[in-house]
Every structure is written in C-alpha cells, then in structure tokens.
Amino acid sequence: VRTEPDAGLDLMNPPWITTVSENMEAQDEKSQTSRPSDSKSLTITSSTPQLLKSELPTEELMGKGQKLDSLSPDIWSDEDNDEILETTDSDGLKDKAPPDRPYWANKIEYLLAQVGFSVGLSTIWRFPYLCFHNGGGSFLIIYILMLFLIGVPLLFLEMAAGQRMRQGSIGVWKVISPWIGGVGYTSFMVCCIVGLYYSVLMAWSLFYLVQSFQSPLPWSVCPLLRNSSTYDPECVRTTSTTYFWYRNVLKATDKIEMGGLPVKHLSVSVFVTWLIICISMIRGPKSSGKMLYVSVILPYFILFCLLIRSLTLEGAKFGFDSLLAAQVRSLYSVEVWRRTGNQIFLSMGHGFGSFIAISSYIPRSNNCVMDAFAVALLNLVASLTAMVFVFATMGHLATKNNNKCYVKNAKTVMNLIVTGVLPPEVQPPDSLYYEPSSIYPKWFKDLPEQMKSMILPHLSNCNLSEQLKEGPGVAFVAITDTISVFSGSTLWAIVIFVLLANLGLSTMIGIMQGIITPLQDTFASLRKQTKLLTVAICVLMFLGSLIFVRPSGSYYVNLLDDYWASLPLLLIVILENVAMAWIYGARRFLADLIIMLGRPISPIFRWLWCFLSPFVLLVLFVNTLIHLCLKNITYLAWDSSISNEVIRTYPSWAKVLLIISIVITILPIPAYFLYTLIDVAFPVSVIHSKVTVIFKPEAKGNSLKPHPRLQVMQSQKVDEMG
C-alpha cells in the first residue's frame, strides 16, 4: 500500500513507523496510529496531515486526499468551504466512536460541563479585584477585546480537537504531531497539581458553609477568653473576620517555614470535598452530568439574586460609577495587558486539557463553534455580574465607613465646643446624625472660611474614594466582610457559601475529566474500570491535598496559584496553537471541521490561529517570565505579635521549590520530543499478533518528498527489520 504524504509538512513530520490495524481498540503509542471508524477500514499513518483523514475508509481516503490537498492557499478565502461541502460527503468523517466510549446524555449536560469548568472561583473574586486595580472600564475594554480575539478562537481549537479525535489531551496532541506529544502529559500534570490545591479552596467554602448555620455568625464578634468576660486581645487588635480566618479556620503560622500536622477540621472538609467529587464522577459523564444541573445552574441563580440585592444598597451607585470610570493610561500599560491576558487563561481554563476531554464525549456533528462562543459569553456574564455585585457592595461599604467618619468628626467638633476650643457657632445640626451623607457636606460647605481653617486641623479626612480602596478583595475575609453588609446575614452567608462550594465543585469536575479521560484513552483496560479508577484517583488526590491544610498550607496555595500556574499553561497553549496552525495546518484543520460539521466556518479563524494568537501568547509568556524573574515573590502572612497581616518574602528554598515545580511540569514536552527523535533516528521492529507493517523510506536524495513503502504481512513474525 502506498500513500502520498503532504510535501509541505514532511520536514516537521518525517517518515514514520506505522501500523495497519483491524482492531478498533488497538492504538500503539510508538507507531502513532489512529483508530479506524469500522472494522473494514484500513488505517494508514504516514504523516501528520493524514492522521485526521485516516479514519475514512481506504477508498474514500485515496479519492478525497487530492481534493483536500488542493485547497486554496489564500488565508481569507471562502471558496474552500463551498468546494468541500459540495464535493465531500459530510457523513464520511462522522464515524462512530469506540463502542465502549460514553456520551453525554444530551447537549445541555455537555454545555453545563464546559461552562461549569470555565466559571470558577477566580471568575467571581479575582476578576472584580483586577478590574478595580487595573483601570476599571479600561480593563473591561481590554478583557473583552482579548476574550473574543484570543480566548474564543483557542477555546474553539481545543473543543474541536477533542470532538474530532474523541480522545483526551494526551492522545490528541500525539495524533496532531508526535513531536509535541508531551504537551498532553504536561496538561495532565497541571490538572493533577491544580486539583490538589483547588480542592482545598472548595474545602474552605464547605467549612464556612457549615459554620454559617449559627446566629450570630462566629466571625461577626471576637471570642471571649476562657473563664473570662474579656475579649481575646489578639482579635481586638484586628477585625473579627480576619481573626476568625487566620486563627479559627487556618490555624495559620506566622511564617511558611513553620510546619505542623494537618488541621483536623480542614482535613475533614477536604475528605468530604473529595467524597462529593468521587460520587459526582463515579459513573463518568452519566453521573457528573446530573450533578452539573445543580452545581452550574444554581450559582447563576444565586448571582442574580445577589446582584438585585446589592443594587438596593445605599452607596451602590457610587460603586458602580467607580467601575465605569476608565483610566485611559491603563490602555497603554503592558502590565495591565499582561494581567488581563493571564486572567483570561486562568479563568477560562485553556491548557488544562479539560475542554478537550469534555468535548470527546459529544458526537462529532456537534457545532463546537457556537459552543465556544456560548461558553465565553456565559463566562463573561458571570464575571460582569459578580463584578457589579462586588462594586455595588464596595460602594455601600465605602459610604457606610464615610458616614462613620462624618459622625466621628461631628462628635469631635462638639467636644471642642464644650472645651471652649471652638465657638458655639460651628455646632453641627442634630439631623447630621440621622443623614450624615447629605447633611455633613452641606454643613461644612456653609461654614465661613475662617471657621473652616479652625476646624480642619482637628478633623479626619473623609474621602469616599479612599474608603472604596478598603473594600473587598480576593479573600475569604473579604467575603465575610461583605456578608455583614446584608440584613439577615445568616441566610446570606449560607447562600454565598453554597454559591462558592458549587463553583468549586463544577470546576473540580472539569479538572477530574482532564485526569481520568487521558488515562482511559492511554490505557484501554481502564475504560471498563471507571468506578475503581475514579475512587483510586480521588483517594490519592485527597492524600496529596493534606499538604495544603497544614497550618502553613495556605502559603503554599498562594505560591502555586500566584506564581506557578501561569507559565506552564501559557507554554501549553502556545504549543497547541503552533501545532494546529503551523504543523498540522490551520487551513487543513478547518477543512476537516467543515467536513465533520457539514457547514462552513469563517476563515478568520485561520488568521487568528496563524498570526494573532501566537504573537500575543508569546508576548504574554515572555512578559510573565521576565516579571517572575525580576520580581520578589511575596505572600500575605499573619503576624500574631501585632495581630495583623504582613507581606513577607518567600524564603530561598520556596523559590527553588517553585522552579523545580515549573521544570517538572514542562519536562514531558522536551522529553517526549527526544523520545520521538530517537524513535525516528533508530527505528525498531513493530510486531503485532495480526498485522505487521514495515516502513522503508526512500533514498536521501529525495528526502523532501518521501514516498514511504508499506509492506503488510499478515500473522508473520519478523526478527529484525532495517
């Protein structure tokens, strides 16, 4: 059997040892063979471009290969869409998946899985925090621009790859190009590490949820000393919410160097967290799909209720005005663009392999273009809703604190009048204590200039904008502070922590899909042991998560979340983009998708994949690397001596640990590249029980256009092949 490889890509995909197989389950990792669509199909793999076409029956492959290779080179051309749809039977690529591969019960469950993984805790809190500290409206403009020009095309790429190949991240990128087969292993490792500490975030939410069934809330007041009516002095020196977080929840040490055994109540919370995850995943998509109806839809309903409630608060308008106030200089700040880009990839979930895994359980005819836009829009809606809620609450807190400042100043003036320092003429009206926000500014404005100069040295500066800066940030302390704003705080505490727990659960389901699916695709025997595999992974992940519930565990969570995650994920997405756009070919990939979906796809995706996305990703990667190398890595720690949060620098061994973690995570990429290089340079015999294929390259003089020769020998044993 002879095949004609695509000459344009042979330098990246040299002649390969391949396999002809009649078994749908067989997939030899070394020979990079894709699955046939049925038992009568002949799978032939000679270069990367034919990998996606190899699932066609042999007759269709030989007849249609020339048509696909003759696509117009014009990157903006729409002619290819019409030609392919007219001349190619769209059912040819809609072959069936392996009979033992499960499906999502319906399209709704599939979309819920994608949205649930995409909308996580960082969407709710990190997004408003970054918006406030990076230009407000300017940040929104940059975010929306990058989301639709970079985020959506890359999301579509991952969804389409998983849907087309019907495999997890490990198998997909081996098929696209063996040279970057290590990308799937790196995605797998990222899911494992993120799953370890992300489950702890969910455990914190569960612990707070249990504590919320009390009145008054345990973090609303300082505790009393044992056998005394005096409040704990450490709590008195700070706020009750901060004290509860560090002393009751984390049992935090003052430094990361101080260790200790896992905290008992957090260990129980982590165990319950992994038990819930295990039950949700125990039957694969069948069980997780049903759980997603609650864990995805409920948070959107709660967010909507919180939004309506926050807009009725006093001062909400001021917070909203602060949100819309754009800082033009932020549009030209490289740092703002870097933070915005990192937020898109960390929030959306590119590079984890979870979108690929989730999409591998949906029929190939599914319209993944619309799915990518739907997931991005729902993620954006959740981010904007959370942002308006946070800013409205911040405006209320700022107004509340500002009113306290007005009342305090009024009392100071009254005391100065009593002592004779100030004349009685400057006495504020009694109504000021009832409506300080409107009466105080009017009273102060009407004072004579001479009186103002006498009063000002004794008054505090009540600036609403400065009060706003003290609003909620990305922390559980800020969440508990926010709850105190609402009347009926116990009910709202339960509602908010149910929201956070469900967001954590839906994201963890997506992360677990990025772990389980590649394992089952790599080791076919595990497909029949889904329950046992799920339980085993959850047990191992639970044991690993105990590292992060020690008294210093939260400092390790910050180290990984703030400094480790960005670099591996950006590198993964860069290689995915380059592999699909330049190694396999964006034009060819879109042609495959047009056949698969049976509908035209805008050629703008080719331009975005080939030029804009790689450039932006590379700039982000270099900028993040420089930022990480030049900046001191710090963490927010608790100092019990002063009862306050302090910024500390991570010790040298923590920096070494960070570097080792990054290197180990990306190590599979160069390692698999070397493995592939050795495999090409020193080919060995491949013997199968049914079929053996010998690959004989042509002479070196024709190396640019090799025509490999496949010799098929049924049921023969070969001792050695050249």
Side-chain angles (χ1 to χ4, degrees):
V1 182
R2 292 181 65 89
T3 62
E4 297 295 331
D6 185 68
L9 297 173
D10 286 331
L11 290 177
M12 299 302 298
N13 297 277
W16 208 261
I17 299 175
T18 57
T19 303
V20 179
S21 174
E22 295 178 1
N23 184 359
M24 292 180 66
E25 296 290 333
Q27 180 183 8
D28 185 77
E29 177 176 325
K30 198 169 187 178
S31 59
Q32 305 300 320
T33 306
S34 58
R35 283 193 192 90
S37 59
D38 52 61
S39 59
K40 295 181 181 181
S41 301
L42 188 62
T43 303
I44 302 174
T45 306
S46 59
S47 68
T48 301
Q50 265 118 353
L51 286 169
L52 296 185
K53 294 186 288 184
S54 62
E55 296 186 5
L56 289 166
T58 308
E59 296 79 11
E60 292 185 48
L61 178 69
M62 301 303 291
K64 295 175 182 176
Q66 298 296 329
K67 185 65 185 177
L68 290 179
D69 285 343
S70 64
L71 297 175
S72 169
D74 183 6
I75 200 167
W76 292 98
S77 175
D78 279 319
E79 296 177 0
D80 296 341
N81 293 347
D82 299 333
E83 291 180 9
I84 293 169
L85 289 174
E86 289 175 3
T87 59
T88 308
D89 181 9
S90 63
D91 293 332
L93 284 175
K94 296 177 185 177
D95 50 338
K96 296 180 180 179
D100 58 346
R101 191 172 193 86
Y103 281 94
W104 294 103
N106 51 60
K107 179 67 176 284
I108 295 178
E109 290 185 8
Y110 162 74
L111 274 178
L112 289 176
Q114 300 282 27
V115 174
F117 170 68
S118 175
V119 180
L121 295 174
S122 63
T123 303
I124 301 301
W125 287 108
R126 183 178 288 161
F127 184 88
Y129 175 83
L130 289 174
C131 183
F132 179 70
H133 290 285
N134 292 277
S138 298
F139 173 86
L140 282 180
I141 295 172
I142 297 173
Y143 185 89
I144 294 174
L145 187 66
M146 292 188 69
L147 176 66
F148 287 101
L149 291 181
I150 307 297
V152 171
L154 293 177
L155 181 58
F156 169 44
L157 187 150
E158 290 194 351
M159 287 182 171
Q163 184 174 312
R164 177 64 185 89
M165 308 298 183
R166 310 306 309 281
Q167 297 185 58
S169 57
I170 293 178
V172 161
W173 300 112
K174 286 182 182 179
V175 171
I176 296 300
S177 175
W179 296 105
I180 64 158
V183 168
Y185 292 99
T186 295
S187 293
F188 174 82
M189 293 181 67
V190 168
C191 282
C192 289
I193 296 175
V194 172
L196 290 177
Y197 73 80
Y198 202 92
S199 63
V200 175
L201 304 184
M202 183 179 169
W204 291 343
S205 301
L206 288 178
F207 178 76
Y208 266 103
L209 177 60
V210 173
Q211 295 296 311
S212 299
F213 290 91
Q214 303 179 44
S215 184
L217 294 171
W219 56 80
S220 62
V221 293
C222 286
L224 298 174
L225 293 174
R226 184 173 297 180
N227 301 324
S228 174
S229 60
T230 306
Y231 290 112
D232 188 331
E234 187 177 353
C235 179
V236 172
R237 291 193 299 265
T238 182
T239 63
S240 58
T241 52
T242 304
Y243 177 85
F244 183 84
W245 168 246
Y246 284 105
R247 281 309 193 198
N248 290 28
V249 179
L250 299 179
K251 304 288 185 183
T253 57
D254 286 6
K255 296 181 180 180
I256 192 175
E257 292 90 342
M258 302 176 182
L261 295 175
V263 179
K264 185 181 296 184
H265 61 264
L266 287 182
S267 300
V268 174
S269 296
V270 170
F271 175 77
V272 173
T273 295
W274 281 107
L275 182 63
I276 295 173
I277 295 170
C278 185
I279 294 173
S280 302
M281 301 290 299
I282 195 71
R283 296 179 60 198
K286 292 183 180 179
S287 58
S288 60
K290 302 300 180 290
M291 184 68 73
L292 290 167
Y293 281 104
V294 177
S295 63
V296 177
I297 296 177
L298 182 60
Y300 275 90
F301 176 75
I302 294 176
L303 272 177
F304 179 75
C305 294
L306 290 174
L307 174 66
I308 299 301
R309 180 67 182 90
S310 64
L311 292 177
T312 62
L313 295 172
E314 180 189 5
K317 183 178 182 301
F318 170 73
F320 195 67
D321 290 341
S322 301
L323 165 64
L324 296 179
Q327 300 176 12
V328 178
R329 65 177 182 275
S330 298
L331 295 173
Y332 307 102
S333 172
V334 176
E335 182 65 15
V336 172
W337 282 83
R338 181 189 69 81
R339 291 176 181 175
T340 306
N342 285 340
Q343 170 62 16
I344 286 176
F345 294 110
L346 290 175
S347 173
M348 290 289 293
H350 298 88
F352 283 84
S354 297
F355 287 125
I356 296 174
I358 294 170
S359 298
S360 68
Y361 298 113
I362 195 74
R364 284 187 171 137
S365 58
N366 174 64
N367 187 355
C368 50
V369 182
M370 295 303 298
D371 293 344
F373 279 98
V375 171
L377 283 173
L378 289 173
N379 182 285
L380 181 62
V381 168
S383 299
L384 294 177
T385 304
M387 183 181 60
V388 173
F389 159 66
V390 169
F391 271 78
T393 308
M394 288 170 67
H396 175 72
L397 286 173
T399 303
K400 187 177 179 181
N401 291 335
N402 208 51
N403 288 343
K404 289 180 180 179
C405 181
Y406 288 157
V407 172
K408 180 183 176 182
N409 283 348
K411 291 181 178 179
T412 301
V413 171
M414 291 299 298
N415 291 334
L416 292 174
I417 292 174
V418 171
T419 57
V421 176
L422 295 176
E425 290 80 7
V426 299
Q427 179 177 345
D430 294 337
S431 58
L432 184 148
Y433 298 96
Y434 301 100
E435 297 181 8
S437 59
S438 59
I439 302 298
Y440 181 91
K442 184 177 183 300
W443 162 76
F444 189 79
K445 181 180 179 181
D446 292 340
L447 288 175
E449 290 298 326
Q450 184 180 0
M451 295 295 181
K452 287 183 181 179
S453 61
M454 293 174 61
I455 294 176
L456 280 176
H458 304 283
L459 301 183
S460 301
N461 182 23
C462 300
N463 190 311
L464 199 56
S465 298
E466 291 183 3
Q467 296 291 346
L468 187 63
K469 295 180 181 178
E470 298 174 2
V474 188
F476 277 81
V477 175
I479 300 173
T480 50
D481 281 335
T482 303
I483 292 171
S484 65
V485 169
F486 303 116
S487 58
S489 56
T490 298
L491 174 62
W492 286 108
I494 295 172
V495 168
I496 288 178
F497 287 113
V498 165
L499 164 69
L500 297 179
N502 277 279
L503 288 174
L505 175 60
S506 59
T507 301
M508 281 302 304
I509 289 175
I511 291 174
M512 288 294 290
Q513 290 286 2
I515 297 173
I516 293 175
T517 302
L519 287 176
Q520 290 183 319
D521 290 336
T522 304
F523 306 100
S525 58
L526 296 177
R527 295 177 195 152
K528 299 179 181 179
Q529 305 294 334
T530 300
K531 295 181 180 179
L532 182 61
L533 176 64
T534 302
V535 172
I537 291 175
C538 288
V539 169
L540 292 175
M541 295 288 281
F542 161 69
L543 295 175
S545 298
L546 294 178
I547 299 173
F548 302 103
V549 296
R550 298 187 306 150
S552 59
S554 62
Y555 305 145
Y556 290 92
V557 172
N558 292 336
L559 179 68
L560 293 176
D561 194 49
D562 294 341
Y563 301 105
W564 166 80
S566 297
L567 276 180
L569 287 174
L570 282 173
L571 181 61
I572 290 170
V573 177
I574 288 172
L575 292 177
E576 288 179 354
N577 193 170
V578 171
M580 189 63 77
W582 292 102
I583 297 179
Y584 182 75
R587 181 171 53 87
R588 188 178 302 278
F589 182 58
L590 279 180
D592 289 334
L593 295 182
I594 291 169
I595 298 173
M596 183 177 75
L597 302 180
R599 59 175 61 88
I601 300 175
S602 173
I604 194 174
F605 285 106
R606 282 179 277 179
W607 183 83
L608 294 174
W609 286 337
C610 290
F611 303 108
L612 184 62
S613 294
F615 173 75
V616 174
L617 289 171
L618 189 60
V619 171
L620 281 175
F621 180 80
V622 173
N623 196 281
T624 302
L625 184 62
I626 294 174
H627 179 79
L628 188 60
C629 293
L630 298 181
K631 181 183 177 183
N632 286 331
I633 58 175
T634 59
Y635 63 102
L636 196 63
W638 176 252
D639 191 335
S640 58
S641 62
I642 60 174
S643 300
N644 202 359
E645 296 172 319
V646 294
I647 297 177
R648 300 189 190 277
T649 302
Y650 278 105
S652 300
W653 62 265
K655 298 176 184 177
V656 173
L657 179 63
L658 175 64
I659 295 172
I660 292 174
S661 301
I662 293 175
V663 171
I664 290 177
T665 307
I666 65 176
L667 186 61
I669 296 174
Y672 201 88
F673 179 87
L674 291 176
Y675 167 80
T676 303
L677 185 63
I678 294 172
D679 201 31
V680 173
F682 306 101
V684 294
S685 302
V686 182
I687 303 175
H688 296 276
S689 59
K690 292 184 178 181
V691 180
T692 301
V693 178
I694 305 176
F695 196 90
K696 290 186 177 181
E698 296 288 341
K700 294 183 179 180
N702 194 26
S703 58
L704 290 179
K705 294 185 178 182
H707 300 283
R709 185 181 302 277
L710 296 174
Q711 298 178 359
V712 183
M713 297 174 287
Q714 297 285 345
S715 303
Q716 294 182 4
K717 293 184 178 180
V718 181
D719 294 330
E720 184 174 359
M721 285 178 269

